[in-house]
Amino acid sequence: MKKAYSSGRASAALNGNVYGEGYNGDNGSRPFLRKYDASGTLIWVRTGTAGWFNGLTVFAGGIFAVGQTASGTNANFLVDRYDENGNLVWE
C-alpha cells in the first residue's frame, strides 16, 4: 500500500492571510500552495504537475513560490507567481 504524505517548508503572510507551500508525495512529487485566513480556515489549495516548492515570499500583491523539478539527473528551477485568489499569473 502506498502512503500519501505532504511536506511544507515555508510560509508567508499577505493582507491577513497565511500561505504555505511544499509538496505532496502521493503520486510522485507535486508542488502545492495553500491559503489560510487569519483564523486558520483553508481558503484554497493549488497543486502543480511536478516538482516541489522550497521557498515562498510575497511582494507587490503577488505570491511567489520557488522550487525545482527533476527528471533523472537533471533539475530545473521552478518559479510560479500567483495572485491572492490563487490564479497562476506566470510560471
Side-chain angles (χ1 to χ4, degrees):
M1 175 194 296
K2 192 171 191 177
K3 294 183 179 180
Y5 63 92
S6 295
S7 175
R9 299 180 183 201
S11 64
L14 178 65
N15 296 329
N17 299 300
V18 177
Y19 298 85
E21 57 75 22
Y23 68 95
N24 182 322
D26 189 21
N27 285 323
S29 246
R30 295 182 58 189
F32 67 76
L33 177 65
R34 294 179 178 165
K35 177 181 181 177
Y36 298 89
D37 67 15
S39 64
T41 302
L42 180 63
I43 305 298
W44 50 254
V45 177
R46 300 296 181 261
T47 305
T49 56
W52 52 91
F53 291 136
N54 295 319
L56 180 68
T57 192
V58 295
F59 178 76
I63 299 98
F64 296 84
V66 297
Q68 67 189 56
T69 62
S71 176
T73 59
N74 297 322
N76 294 303
F77 286 108
L78 173 62
V79 181
D80 290 350
R81 178 182 181 172
Y82 294 85
D83 65 19
E84 289 187 66
N85 296 316
N87 299 308
L88 182 62
V89 177
W90 50 258
E91 59 184 346

